[in-house]
Amino acid sequence: MLDMIDSADDVIALKVSDRISGSELDAIMDRLDGAMARHDKVHVFVETQAIDGIEIAGLGAYMKRALPLFGKLDRFGRVAVVADQGWIRAATKIESALLPRISYRVFEPGARDEALAWVVGGGGA
């Protein structure tokens, strides 16, 4: 399930839980494409809760849209991931190491407000 969180126009803020569908992946990409069309830097806040899978049927189309983003990595600013599952926090730390020019931070659920404030304003811990 996907919930978009109200945020500044240059911030993609969302909460995902349970199973992620192809249409939800499309909605995320639509929002990201729009923000990148309007801003030089885009910041991302993702809160995950009890992720148990991604719909395989939508994964191919998502990858086709997501792969060109590797050429735009300099357009990403702050990325915060709030996750209740250790495997997501670990995967995010690996992704952060692979993409060192993007400012990543990983948070546990109790620090959700701090994470969102950091993404939106750049301040904080």
Side-chain angles (χ1 to χ4, degrees), residues 78 105 107 113-125:
R78 296 173 299 278
R105 290 197 184 167
F107 298 83
D113 293 341
E114 175 188 346
L116 185 56
W118 176 72
V119 167
V120 171

Side-chain angles (χ1 to χ4, degrees), residues 63-74:
M63 292 303 294
K64 187 175 180 178
R65 287 183 74 182
L67 284 175
L69 292 175
F70 281 106
K72 300 177 182 180
L73 293 177
D74 61 330

